[in-house]
Amino acid sequence: MPQCQRTLPVSARLRRRIPTRSVPQLIDRATSPRDEGDAKADGGGLRDAWPDLTLIKTAPDPPRKQRRQDLSQPLPSPAGPPAPEPRDCSAPAETPRVESSAGRCLTLQERLLLHYSSRAAVAEERAALAQQLAAGICAELQSFLRGKCPELPFGSLFLSGPLLDGLGALAADRVDFMLPVVLDPALWSLIPGEETVVRNPRYWMIKRTGLEYFPRGRSPWDRFIVGRYLSSNALNEMLHKMLVASVNWPAIGSLLGSIIRPGVASEELKLEVKHEQVELSVTLFPVVEMDDKVLLAAPPEGLVENLWLESFYRAEVSRVKELDAGDCGARQSCLRILNGLCESHPSLRKLSGSPLTHVVLHLGADWAQENLAARFQQVLQELVGYLEIGVLPSYFNHKVNLFCGLLEEEIDEMGFLLYRAVSEPELLLKEK
């Protein structure tokens, strides 16, 4: 597999070590310091490393309070029915039960549905207002760009993101503005990610071609060329200066009954919008569509400035909705819940969005609503497995590793929490 732009967070040495390490060694290495005020260590002390996925299926969580030396002893067999095996949903599994704060015993299915209705669903009026406000800002920005840069063939700005597509919004607070960069295919060609300097299949380069026949200046985008390649950094820098220094945001905000502030310090193209009823975080993305690829001007951190990130978002949304329509599935509901949970836990925030969607897509069919709890736990199990090897292949291109940018410490922290959450889902579902 081609190398990532950063060193793969789980090294080859670590990958070889994890599958062969015995359970006592894993637990002995992973045991965390005791909690203050607790004379005995809590049973969930696997902070530095966590067992491989097979342990989840064969052993329950250790008792709440036990001695550190007890962790090296064999765990008892589970008293209740085993958790559903991954990728086997031929029959609905018995739903684990969790204790509510009021003492009433709820099934995990009931708990998830309650969480979805109370926290994961966006109020229709609020969502409609947020979309209306975003559309108004989008129209004003489009008008400004056409007046300021008439020589640049930008396409029509359009809205994107979970707020519109329903896969991840806990609140009507985030939206993306997609700014099409229209290129003449006779003057530009795509260089695959494996052939770029970072050897990462997800980052592409856009090369200026035919300079012997069509010299510089023939394309209006030639002013953003760096070393014969269209520079995503150069384009972003130009737009950033406009957003910060040229656009009359106070006037636009007054027109729309809101306060709009551009992100001055951030290198990203961001706007913060405050309205009486909603607040929006807007991100502007120049986007190139060529050869059935959707590329964003979102280069990785570092000195390389000519890279364009391939986006699978449109394909993700389309595929999830297509599959849910085919089997009346719960994929979208599950993704809303999972995205919200990851956003509410700082250590899991980098899992929200595309990684969760691709895990759900990898799980295939049989997502009936009554199987929501079983599928929810399966996603957690699958995530632990992918984190253990440090690789989550894209559903649309298996050469792309969606965990490429994660650090080893981040992987360990995520894996530890999700490993416990498979058998203790209340760790994620409890109120913050």
Side-chain angles (χ1 to χ4, degrees):
M1 177 179 293
Q3 295 297 317
C4 297
Q5 182 251 345
R6 297 181 181 175
T7 303
L8 193 65
V10 176
S11 64
R13 174 178 58 80
L14 184 62
R15 291 187 193 176
R16 290 195 299 269
R17 189 172 72 227
I18 289 177
T20 58
R21 193 187 303 162
S22 65
V23 173
Q25 288 174 317
L26 272 168
I27 298 179
D28 182 63
R29 174 181 177 268
T31 305
S32 64
R34 300 184 180 188
D35 294 332
E36 293 184 9
D38 191 351
K40 297 182 181 181
D42 187 88
L46 310 180
R47 293 196 182 277
D48 296 323
W50 23 279
D52 52 330
L53 185 57
T54 56
L55 296 181
I56 297 172
K57 306 171 191 174
T58 59
D61 275 5
R64 266 292 180 191
K65 293 185 180 292
Q66 60 181 26
R67 297 170 301 171
R68 180 184 295 272
Q69 55 266 35
D70 291 340
L71 292 176
S72 63
Q73 302 303 317
L75 296 173
S77 300
E85 290 292 323
R87 308 186 192 283
D88 181 13
C89 291
S90 56
E94 181 174 341
T95 306
R97 303 185 77 84
V98 295
E99 194 73 16
S100 69
S101 58
R104 186 171 65 86
C105 196
L106 300 175
T107 65
L108 178 57
Q109 179 89 1
E110 292 169 337
R111 186 74 176 271
L112 290 172
L113 293 175
L114 178 63
H115 181 90
Y116 178 81
S117 62
S118 63
R119 302 191 63 193
V122 180
E124 291 185 4
E125 292 182 2
R126 184 179 176 86
L129 177 59
Q131 289 187 39
Q132 181 180 359
L133 180 59
I137 299 171
C138 189
E140 293 296 328
L141 182 57
Q142 177 81 75
S143 177
F144 168 82
L145 288 173
R146 286 178 175 169
K148 183 74 173 179
C149 310
E151 75 284 2
L152 295 178
F154 286 118
S156 297
L157 270 168
F158 62 93
L159 307 182
S160 181
L163 174 61
L164 282 80
D165 301 313
L167 295 190
L170 267 183
D173 61 356
R174 287 181 299 172
V175 66
D176 296 332
F177 287 179
M178 313 305 287
L179 178 62
V181 175
V182 181
L183 300 178
D184 183 347
L187 302 178
W188 303 91
S189 64
L190 298 185
I191 305 299
E194 298 92 326
E195 300 176 20
T196 65
V197 292
V198 296
R199 297 290 188 267
N200 186 335
R202 191 163 186 189
Y203 286 100
W204 294 67
M205 299 179 79
I206 304 174
K207 185 177 182 179
R208 177 66 155 85
T209 58
L211 285 174
E212 60 275 20
Y213 303 108
F214 307 105
R216 290 197 181 204
R218 180 67 177 265
S219 171
W221 303 108
D222 285 346
R223 58 188 278 198
F224 302 103
I225 289 179
V226 176
R228 294 193 66 175
Y229 297 95
L230 184 62
S231 172
S232 52
N233 274 14
L235 182 56
N236 280 338
E237 287 174 4
M238 183 271 289
L239 290 170
H240 187 270
K241 290 178 181 177
M242 288 186 182
L243 292 182
V244 172
S246 300
V247 182
N248 190 347
W249 293 118
I252 295 176
S254 177
L255 180 66
L256 299 173
S258 59
I259 299 174
I260 306 173
R261 294 189 177 96
V264 178
S266 173
E267 293 183 359
E268 295 181 293
L269 306 177
K270 285 189 172 293
L271 302 172
E272 297 300 327
V273 183
K274 290 187 177 181
H275 186 272
E276 288 184 356
Q277 300 180 49
V278 296
E279 294 186 5
L280 284 177
S281 176
V282 176
T283 306
L284 175 66
F285 288 105
V287 56
V288 169
E289 296 189 40
M290 287 183 67
D291 302 341
D292 298 325
K293 307 292 181 186
V294 178
L295 307 178
L296 305 181
E301 295 180 4
L303 299 177
V304 182
E305 62 176 26
N306 296 336
L307 296 176
W308 293 72
L309 176 69
E310 182 175 3
S311 171
F312 301 110
Y313 184 75
R314 185 185 302 170
E316 292 165 7
V317 172
S318 175
R319 185 58 177 158
V320 167
K321 292 188 175 183
E322 177 187 1
L323 291 172
D324 265 359
D327 59 10
C328 298
R331 295 171 186 83
Q332 294 174 77
S333 301
C334 189
L335 280 170
R336 275 196 175 184
I337 294 171
L338 286 165
N339 277 308
L341 293 174
C342 287
E343 288 288 343
S344 65
H345 289 76
S347 62
L348 299 179
R349 281 176 185 164
K350 289 189 176 181
L351 291 180
S352 63
S354 278
L356 291 175
T357 305
H358 286 249
V359 172
V360 166
L361 290 174
H362 282 311
L363 283 175
D366 194 10
W367 272 80
Q369 295 289 337
E370 60 268 22
N371 292 340
L372 174 61
R375 283 303 202 177
F376 175 85
Q377 288 191 300
Q378 265 195 285
V379 172
L380 299 185
Q381 290 176 343
E382 293 295 302
L383 276 170
V384 172
Y386 289 127
L387 286 166
E388 186 182 52
I389 61 175
V391 176
L392 172 57
S394 164
Y395 177 82
F396 303 101
N397 181 358
H398 283 206
K399 293 184 294 183
V400 172
N401 175 19
L402 298 178
F403 285 167
C404 185
L406 295 180
L407 301 175
E408 188 171 326
E409 294 77 12
E410 293 172 330
I411 286 180
D412 283 343
E413 188 173 5
M414 293 176 185
F416 160 72
L417 178 56
L418 293 175
Y419 165 71
R420 293 186 61 198
V422 172
S423 53
E424 293 182 72
E426 61 270 21
L427 291 175
L428 299 180
L429 291 170
K430 63 184 179 182
E431 297 292 329
K432 290 290 183 181

